[in-house]
Amino acid sequence: MASSSGNSSGCSSRDGQNSASEEDLQLAMDQRKRKRMQSNRESARRSRMRKQKHLDDLIAQVDQLRKDNNQILTSVNITTQHYMNIESENSVLRAQLLELTQRLDSLNDILNFINTSSGILDTTDQHHHHPHAHDDFINNNPMDTNTMFLNQPIMASPDIFQYY
């Protein structure tokens, strides 16, 4: 029995050692658990901070894109207005060109009629009607000067349109 009590006291001393060793092991496990929990908290905090920064960056990007979009829309509206103004001005210029072309054609038709009619503007006849006129008068006769231009077609240039 003594050996069994020795064994039992040996066991209880081992049990005490086991219990102390289990307590140390439990304390070490608890400490590791606390460290892991603290580490997890820090990791979660960093993750939340990264998410918040990403969200803030996205919000700033949305704001910038909205500003850019508004500037583009404003630019498109201004360009469209300029296009409409120029298109309107072009329509007016086309109408003026058509009118002036028709006038020019009419004047050229009149000139052609005058030039092809039977001797109405024959300058040799004018000299014969004034046999006693002074040579300077005949040479400087405004009618002679005008008839020279009547034989020429009327030409239009693009510069004429700047006065309308």
Side-chain angles (χ1 to χ4, degrees), residues 34-50:
R34 280 193 300 274
K35 281 183 180 178
R36 193 170 54 248
M37 287 175 63
Q38 183 63 29
S39 175
N40 286 347
R41 281 188 196 111
E42 284 298 315
S43 177
R45 185 183 64 79
R46 287 190 304 269
S47 177
R48 284 191 302 273
M49 288 176 64
R50 279 193 307 272

Side-chain angles (χ1 to χ4, degrees), residues 1 17 37 47 51 82 90 93 100 106 116 133-134 142 151:
M1 279 210 147
Q17 286 176 354
M37 287 175 63
S47 177
K51 276 186 178 179
H82 285 186
N90 279 345
L93 291 174
L100 291 173
S106 295
T116 58
H134 190 272
N151 291 330

Side-chain angles (χ1 to χ4, degrees), residues 73-87:
L73 285 174
T74 300
S75 177
V76 165
N77 288 337
I78 290 170
T79 303
T80 300
Q81 187 62 41
H82 285 186
Y83 171 79
M84 303 266 299
N85 290 343
I86 289 171
E87 189 64 32

